[in-house]
Amino acid sequence: MSCLLFLEHVFASLPQMERGVAKVIGGDPKGNNFLYTNGKCVIIRNIENPAIADIYTEHAHTVTVAKYAPSGYYIASGDASGKVRIWDTTQKEHILKYEYTPISGKIKDIAWTEDSKRIAVVGDGREKFGAVFLWDSGSSVGEVSGHAKLINSVDIRQKRPYRLATASDDTCGSFFEGPPFKFKFTLRDHSQFVNCVRFSPDGSRFVTAGADGQIFVYDGTNGERVCSLGGEKAHKGGVYAVSWSPDSSQLISASGDKTVKLWDVGAGTAVTTFNLGTDVTDQQLGCLWQKDHLLTISLSGYINYLDKNNPGRPIRTIKGHSKSIQCLTVHKKDGRPYIYSGSHDGHINILSLIQKKNDCFSGKGHSNQVSKMVTDEANELVTCSMDDTLRYTNINKTEYSASDVVKMDFQPKSVSVAAGGLSLAVCIGQVVLLKDKKRVFTLDSLDYEPEVGAIHPGGTTAVVGGADGKIRLYSIQGNTLKDQGKAIEAKGAITDMAYSNDGAYLAAIDDKKVATTFTVADGYSVNIYEFYGHHARTVALAWSPDNEHFATSGMDMMVFIWTVGDPDNRIKLADTHRLHHVSGLAWVNEHTLVTTSHDASIKQWTVKY
């Protein structure tokens, strides 16, 4: 089929966060971008317009840190296996330049020398906690010693003579001279884990920040202690990250006490305190000062742009998903498309396609994975979750409803809706019909395991796909489901199923990698077409608004767009979300498809037939 399918936009994930663990944000020496990691991805975002993003997905393990070389031409990223990849930033392909395994364990931080020729790497290795090497050969240029536990942070003075400093879980910092870098002495001022060490851009000072809430300032050349910020304690909670101002006179610190402080380093006092909230997810675990931008990262993964003139309120907060996305749907409000997506941690995100901005509902939502979501004619988002509930959330409001929650007897796997306030929930071992948000009929003691359900747009028929590869038909009569005594056969256990918007066809996908369409008017028994192409289990299915095409996704990272009645006429999209299976699909219009995945990002594709 002659057609074009191209990537229109990438809506990147937020950083992956962990309570009590600092998050390193890398800054671009040219000042245009910042970068962080989530899962196996390195995300590069434009600092002025964070909707512009690029994702690097070549690590086989969880990436923990990424840093630009001072030249700006390369990025070094380190992962949980101890691998460092050095790759090109100038080409879209991000060609790999070098790959090394300097330590045999999780990498926690990376630092470059100002000439972009040497790299220091620290973390939790089995034999050693750090290494310094030449970027183009991997040969050692000194050793990072002097610590008894894993090293959290490393930095190198960006002026000659070079100095290197480290911060460790053994409550100490270490100071090195070089190259080749040699251990000089231990810094024993902290009483708990030392989370971060950073040299000032002019090299005159460096600071260490610790879980004891203290920040110490040292001389950048000889390593002697100069002072501590804020007297006894800089913060009420642990300090996870610090970042210097470009002119080396000030710095910001991010803390578990949910505040960020801006310090006058010369005076040793806080100029401004930014309060980022009261919830545990408002703990501040990372920060970056780049040009005029002050960025911090909350435990929620939200990225805050701080306003020096209004410390109580960030200029903007970038929202989104930080955990893998399980499902998504599209709904138009006043003609404008919005993408609703639900993730592994129960978070539901609202993405405006036109403004390219993320938002969310306030209040208490799902407490566990959101498995499926649809929108109904009453402008409600209907979601089912592993917290054993169905939720109805008014799309025109900005908060979750506390009352429109229906508790299920068993965990729901799928939900579908039709006109007249009907919802069909397929749970483990049970099928439940709901009307106007109330349970009206339950099918249990089934002789098969139901996997997924769909209601015909006419509202008179419901179909339930089973693990036995059969699709059973039920009539909706008043408030009951009546078994029609008819089952349609698919090739394997049904993984997803949907009616076309006009109700003419039913499409189903199964774990045997096959998609099948059935014609409703012919009693589902004539004009059956099978579609082959996926190399692994199929996961999701979505009909185009034109009712002639439908898209399927699978664990093979592929998306196919099929034409009804012509299985050979197909569009294939390989590596849709590299290294991650495509967990959800939805159509914005007949030429725009959105996909999502366990990489926590959403991609918008343009289809031209």
Side-chain angles (χ1 to χ4, degrees), residues 36-49:
Y36 54 80
T37 63
N38 184 320
K40 295 173 187 171
C41 306
V42 178
I43 294 106
I44 306 168
R45 293 182 91 151
N46 183 297
I47 203 157
E48 298 283 349
N49 180 6

Side-chain angles (χ1 to χ4, degrees), residues 111-139:
W112 293 76
T113 51
E114 45 77 40
D115 58 4
S116 302
K117 289 190 172 142
R118 297 169 195 84
I119 299 176
V121 168
V122 299
D124 192 8
R126 282 193 288 278
E127 296 84 37
K128 56 184 180 180
F129 301 121
V132 201
F133 54 90
L134 291 171
W135 87 293
D136 55 356
S137 67
S139 332

Side-chain angles (χ1 to χ4, degrees), residues 79-124:
D79 67 26
S81 73
K83 206 165 242 135
V84 173
R85 292 176 72 93
I86 301 163
W87 40 280
D88 178 275
T89 60
T90 58
Q91 320 276 310
K92 193 84 187 114
E93 290 74 39
H94 300 311
I95 295 152
L96 179 71
K97 188 82 174 164
Y98 303 108
E99 185 177 64
Y100 305 111
T101 310
I103 62 171
S104 55
K106 183 191 255 185
I107 291 172
K108 302 270 287 180
D109 202 5
I110 293 172
W112 293 76
T113 51
E114 45 77 40
D115 58 4
S116 302
K117 289 190 172 142
R118 297 169 195 84
I119 299 176
V121 168
V122 299
D124 192 8

